[in-house]
């Protein structure tokens, strides 16, 4: 066999190897994309369920606002709770939008950036919802009115109400401190780090990458 024949045979063999390599890479990428999308469905289902729950809560609270006529404290409590529920709805819908923006057929860096947006958004919404802690009396007033038909603000012991209001005020600096610490990449306390990861870190990444 002449040199030209060897070269032609080698080029043909090299072209076949290149084609097989490209095909294997394409198959591997498709398998990786499918493997990533399967666990991601759990996040989709969770966020859709959250949205539905928030929507039902908002509908219930809206009905209570209309029916609590004449009970100002209970009505205001329902309004306050509704505001935080609206935050929850917007957060869950925002998560769905960000999940829809994830493109697994692009570079890995873009996928990582999309995951980071998911984390930051989830954490920001959680921080806002944490702001409801000092308003725990709104829950007390609302549920007493809804379950027992008792206007606790109008009929409760004034001394007890005063103590609860003082406690609510005392919770304000702690809540602001906790929200600020949650926003730090490296919180000073291990339990805050664990809480931060459980909300916005490991849960999302494990769902996607396993």
């Amino acid at each position: 066999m002449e040199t030209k024949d060897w070269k032609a045979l080698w080029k043909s063999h090299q072209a076949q190897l290149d084609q097989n390599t490209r095909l294997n890479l394409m198959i591997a990428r498709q398998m990786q994309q499918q493997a990533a999308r399967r666990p991601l469905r759990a996040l989709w289902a969770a966020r859709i369920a959250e949205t539905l729950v928030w929507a039902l809560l908002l509908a219930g609270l809206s009905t209570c606002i209309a029916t609590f006529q004449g009970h100002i404290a209970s009505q205001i409590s329902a309004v306050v709770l509704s505001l935080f529920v609206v935050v929850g709805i917007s957060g869950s819908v925002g998560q769905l939008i960000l999940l829809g923006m994830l493109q697994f057929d692009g570079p890995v860096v873009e996928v990582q950036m999309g995951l980071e947006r998911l984390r930051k958004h989830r954490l920001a919404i959680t921080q806002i919802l944490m702001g409801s802690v000092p308003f725990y009396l709104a829950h007390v007033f609302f549920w007493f009115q809804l379950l027992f038909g008792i206007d606790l603000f109008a009929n409760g012991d004034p001394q007890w109400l005063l103590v609860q209001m003082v406690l609510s005020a005392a919770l304000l600096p702690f809540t602001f401190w906790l929200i600020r610490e949650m926003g730090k990449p490296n919180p000073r306390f291990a339990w805050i780090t664990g809480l931060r990861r459980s909300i916005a870190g490991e849960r999302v990444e494990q769902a996607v990458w396993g």
Side-chain angles (χ1 to χ4, degrees), residues 89-186:
I89 292 176
S90 64
S92 296
V93 172
Q95 287 281 292
L96 290 173
I97 293 172
L98 290 174
L99 281 171
M101 292 171 61
L102 283 176
Q103 298 294 332
F104 290 95
D105 53 353
V108 175
V109 175
E110 292 184 5
V111 177
Q112 292 176 339
M113 290 174 61
L115 292 176
E116 188 63 22
R117 284 193 293 269
L118 270 174
R119 294 190 190 98
K120 288 182 177 179
H121 181 267
R122 183 73 171 175
L123 184 60
I125 294 298
T126 303
Q127 287 175 288
I128 296 174
L129 291 176
M130 283 180 174
S132 67
V133 172
F135 299 95
Y136 75 93
L137 265 180
H139 289 276
V140 177
F141 291 153
F142 172 80
W143 287 109
F144 261 82
Q145 184 68 51
L146 181 65
L147 298 178
F148 308 112
I150 299 174
D151 188 337
L152 202 58
F153 183 79
N155 301 295
D157 179 45
Q159 187 174 0
W160 178 84
L161 289 172
L162 179 61
V163 171
Q164 299 308 311
M165 290 177 182
V166 171
L167 180 58
S168 295
L171 283 173
L172 282 171
F174 170 75
T175 303
F176 289 147
W177 171 83
L178 180 59
I179 291 173
R180 186 181 61 185
E181 287 295 314
M182 287 285 291
K184 294 180 180 179
N186 298 304

Side-chain angles (χ1 to χ4, degrees), residues 47-89:
R47 299 301 176 257
I48 291 172
E50 283 180 3
T51 305
L52 292 175
V53 170
W54 286 122
L56 289 174
L57 286 173
L58 184 60
L61 285 166
S62 300
T63 302
C64 290
I65 291 171
T67 57
F68 286 175
Q69 297 293 335
H71 304 284
I72 302 300
S74 302
Q75 202 169 33
I76 293 175
S77 297
V79 171
V80 171
L81 295 177
S82 296
L83 293 176
F84 286 105
V85 168
V86 169
V87 173
I89 292 176

